[in-house]
């Protein structure tokens, strides 16, 4: 008997499901894209509706449509519902939005210290809603939220909205908006309060402080301070916040708490470029060697054509991001084209980085390097010991984050050597490169590059090792030619390297889809001892994909300066600037 009842219940359930059929599909018509999208969002909050339930849901459907349109300023909509003649499971929802409500009056009233604050003046000027616009309650709510957040970010901790109203006049299709805020006094920065830490650690943090007591409070400065502390690489946990409960006479103390990164850090990676083929990377860092902020890092890169091993010991000389010394030791084994070289070097650097604070200033590196190089370059076999003082300047400006749409980069270096202080050669070497990126109409990108190098010396280029000579060609030089394959040649037609090098590039890219671009380019230049050699030119086209790890570039380039116009594929990954 129990089995019979259970079976009957199952059959009744199946019969009910079959009888009900699939839920209704609502098809909106009569609205523009923005209104339709908002109406769909509201309708999606309804439960599935079976056809036989439609009479009980007609009013609910109309109310959802009405509320969705009122939120965007349409208060006179008319909605009609009709089952499709072709498909009884499709409900045609036709909507006439009617005449929109226009904002005829919009007032934002401020009182308190914010009346003298330029940030609030700019906010009022650039409101997302203006008189004459269609009423949009979402934008209205955004104005309220942004106003409150701006007050808190600028240090108006007692601010409050005293009035926030929308008056709607349906017959006139108009609305009046009134917002009033009493901001009160603007608070100021108080003295920093440090968590428990060693005196040298606190001293490092003091160099990073970007505010003075009695300056007007600004949360943007606290965000920048947090970013700077993180950029040092010394700390794994950072806590910077105002201590509002300890406010004294409008001065709010700032708590700064950190937890040092004491453990060793190891990173392993791999990469590939057409210049060098597969590459492996190994990086090891020790953020704290001692409590004065000394740090140690080492890295190794191995490919089929080059091996590099280096270590750097960093000593802060003030702000650890801007002023520091670094002691470096490195070894390089290079086998590219007609170059076979082993280079051992040690150097001391004094870094001054100003770009963190000033937009148009340059980073500076003053260095003294000692290097010993044994090499075979073509038919030449030799070794050199060089003592090289020098200075370099660099600057990078970008807009647009990881995939910039605007930017430029400049690098310049001057090195010299003299037999009078123990070097094996006399020379002065200067080198510089500039890159420019500009985007037009959002989809059209232009990248230009110019590079120039020169060596002045009394003797022949063979008096200095190949690591200091100039070569051209490759992914970052003249595409269509192999890496460092352009230079004068010796009597056995082997590359020798050059006194001078010039390279220029123009590239145009078009964004045809999100994260995808096609490009065309032309590169030209030479590595020469007298500028009598024929310049080399490469041209071609490629594709770019902006991946989460950086831009991937694949180019097909043709060496049009050669008789048979050979071609090469160039694959690179990394930032453009």
């Amino acid at each position: 008997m129990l089995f019979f009842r259970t079976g009957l219940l199952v059959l009744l359930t199946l019969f009910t499901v079959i009888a009900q059929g699939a839920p209704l599909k609502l098809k909106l018509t009569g609205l523009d894209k923005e209104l339709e999208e908002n109406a769909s969002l509201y309708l999606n909050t309804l439960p599935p509706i079976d056809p036989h339930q439609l009479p009980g849901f007609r009013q609910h459907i109309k109310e959802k449509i009405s509320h969705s349109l009122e939120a965007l300023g349409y208060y006179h909509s008319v909605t009609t519902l009709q089952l499709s003649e072709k498909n009884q499971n499709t409900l045609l929802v036709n909507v006439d939005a009617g005449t929109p409500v226009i904002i005829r009056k919009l007032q934002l009233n401020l009182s308190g210290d914010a009346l003298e604050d330029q940030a609030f003046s700019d906010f009022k000027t650039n409101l997302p809603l203006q008189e004459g616009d269609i009423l949009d309650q979402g934008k209205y709510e955004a104005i309220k939220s942004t106003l409150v957040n701006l007050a808190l970010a600028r240090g108006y901790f007692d601010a409050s909205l005293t009035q926030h109203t929308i008056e709607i006049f349906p017959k006139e299709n108009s609305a009046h908006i009134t917002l009033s805020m009493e901001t009160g006094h603007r608070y100021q920065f108080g003295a920093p309060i440090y968590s428990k830490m060693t005196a040298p650690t606190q001293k490092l943090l003091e160099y990073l402080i970007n505010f003075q007591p009695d300056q007007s409070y600004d949360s943007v400065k606290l965000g920048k301070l947090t970013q700077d502390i993180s950029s040092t690489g010394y700390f794994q946990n950072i806590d910077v916040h105002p201590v509002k409960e300890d406010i004294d006479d409008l001065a709010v103390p700032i708590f700064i708490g950190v937890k040092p990164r004491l453990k060793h850090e190891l990173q392993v990676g791999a990469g590939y470029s057409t210049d060098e083929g597969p590459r492996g990377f190994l990086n090891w860092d020790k953020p704290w060697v001692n409590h004065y902020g000394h740090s140690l890092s080492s890295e190794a890169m191995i490919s089929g054509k080059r091996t590099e091993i280096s270590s750097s010991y960093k000593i802060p000389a003030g702000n650890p991001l801007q002023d520091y010394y670094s002691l470096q030791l490195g070894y390089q084994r290079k086998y590219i084209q007609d170059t076979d070289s082993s280079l051992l070097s040690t150097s001391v650097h004094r870094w001054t980085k100003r770009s963190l604070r000033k937009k148009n200033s340059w980073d500076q590196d003053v260095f003294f390097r000692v290097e010993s190089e044994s090499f075979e370059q073509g038919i030449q076999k030799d070794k050199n010991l060089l003592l090289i003082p020098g200075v370099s300047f660099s600057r990078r400006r970008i807009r647009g984050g990881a995939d910039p749409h605007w930017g430029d980069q400049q690098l310049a270096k001057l090195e010299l050597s003299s037999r009078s202080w123990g070097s094996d050669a006399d020379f002065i070497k200067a080198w510089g490169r500039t890159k420019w990126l500009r985007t037009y109409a959002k989809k059209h990108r232009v990248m230009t590059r110019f590079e120039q190098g020169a060596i002045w010396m009394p003797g022949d280029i063979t008096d200095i090792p190949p690591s200091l000579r100039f070569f051209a060609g490759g992914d970052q030089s003249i595409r269509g030619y192999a890496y460092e394959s352009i230079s004068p040649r010796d009597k056995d037609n082997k590359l020798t390297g050059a006194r001078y090098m010039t390279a220029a590039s123009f590239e145009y890219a078009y964004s045809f889809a999100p994260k995808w671009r096609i490009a065309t380019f032309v590169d030209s230049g030479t590595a020469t001892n007298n500028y009598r050699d024929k310049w080399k030119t490469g041209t071609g086209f490629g594709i770019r994909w902006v991946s989460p790890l950086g831009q991937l570039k694949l180019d097909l380039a043709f060496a049009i300066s050669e008789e048979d116009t050979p071609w090469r594929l160039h694959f690179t990954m990394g930032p453009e600037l």
Side-chain angles (χ1 to χ4, degrees), residues 505-524:
S505 174
F506 178 86
E507 177 175 304
Y508 165 76
Y510 175 74
S511 300
F512 65 90
K515 306 298 183 182
W516 287 93
R517 304 183 185 109
I518 55 173
T520 184
F521 58 86
V522 58
D523 302 336
S524 187

Side-chain angles (χ1 to χ4, degrees), residues 107-110 114 119-120 123-124 127 140-154 156 159-164 179-183:
Q107 286 184 306
L108 175 54
N109 306 310
L110 298 173
F120 281 88
F123 177 73
K124 290 183 67 174
L127 288 176
Y140 166 75
E141 293 296 331
I143 291 174
K144 288 168 52 181
S145 177
T146 303
L147 186 60
V148 172
N149 291 335
L150 179 62
L152 292 175
R154 302 285 291 174
Y156 300 91
S160 62
L161 282 172
T162 56
Q163 185 178 5
H164 46 95
L179 287 168
S180 300
M181 172 175 273
E182 169 57 53
T183 64

Side-chain angles (χ1 to χ4, degrees), residues 250-290:
L250 296 180
V252 53
I254 305 301
F255 176 81
I256 301 175
V258 294
K259 182 179 178 181
R261 294 167 53 195
L262 299 177
K263 297 181 179 180
H264 300 264
E265 296 187 357
L266 188 67
Q267 294 181 332
V268 179
Y272 179 86
S273 76
T274 46
D275 282 347
E276 298 183 358
R279 293 177 291 183
F281 304 91
L282 178 65
N283 295 329
W284 171 77
D285 292 306
K286 183 172 175 55
W288 292 87
V289 174
N290 56 42

Side-chain angles (χ1 to χ4, degrees), residues 445 479 507-510 512 517-521 540-544 553-556:
R445 295 165 64 92
R479 284 165 285 189
E507 177 175 304
Y508 165 76
Y510 175 74
F512 65 90
R517 304 183 185 109
I518 55 173
T520 184
F521 58 86
F541 55 90
I543 191 165
R544 283 89 176 95
K553 300 171 60 176
L554 181 63
D555 290 326
L556 176 62

Side-chain angles (χ1 to χ4, degrees), residues 376-393:
E376 292 183 25
Q377 181 65 52
I379 63 174
Q380 182 190 9
K381 184 175 182 180
D382 205 348
K383 61 181 179 180
N384 291 92
L385 176 65
L386 299 175
L387 286 71
I388 305 173
V391 62
S392 70
F393 297 92

Side-chain angles (χ1 to χ4, degrees), residues 202-264:
Q202 181 173 321
K203 187 68 174 178
L204 284 174
L205 292 173
E206 288 174 353
Y207 283 116
L208 298 171
I209 299 299
N210 57 359
F211 61 84
Q212 296 291 332
D214 300 330
Q215 282 185 338
S216 296
Y217 179 91
D218 188 345
S219 66
V220 173
K221 288 190 173 184
L222 295 189
K224 183 63 168 60
L225 175 59
T226 300
Q227 180 182 351
D228 285 353
I229 294 174
S230 176
S231 297
T232 65
Y234 291 137
F235 308 102
Q236 60 179 346
N237 291 332
I238 302 167
D239 180 14
V240 178
H241 68 266
V243 187
K244 297 180 183 179
E245 56 270 23
D246 291 341
I247 290 176
D248 181 22
D249 193 23
L250 296 180
V252 53
I254 305 301
F255 176 81
I256 301 175
V258 294
K259 182 179 178 181
R261 294 167 53 195
L262 299 177
K263 297 181 179 180
H264 300 264

Side-chain angles (χ1 to χ4, degrees), residues 325-343:
Y325 294 92
S326 67
L327 308 177
Q328 298 182 359
L329 179 66
Y331 170 78
Q332 181 187 82
R333 178 73 171 85
K334 183 177 181 181
Y335 184 75
I336 296 177
Q337 302 296 339
D338 299 324
T339 303
D340 187 352
S341 168
S342 294
L343 172 64

Side-chain angles (χ1 to χ4, degrees), residues 2 16-17 76 125 135-136 143 148 201 224-225 231 254 291 296 314 337 371 402 413 483 486 491 542 562:
L2 179 60
T16 302
V17 171
H76 303 293
T125 302
L135 176 63
D136 186 324
I143 291 174
V148 172
T201 300
K224 183 63 168 60
L225 175 59
S231 297
I254 305 301
H291 58 273
L296 177 64
K314 179 179 175 182
Q337 302 296 339
E371 59 180 40
K413 181 187 288 188
Y483 180 53
I486 301 172
K491 63 181 182 179
E562 307 306 314

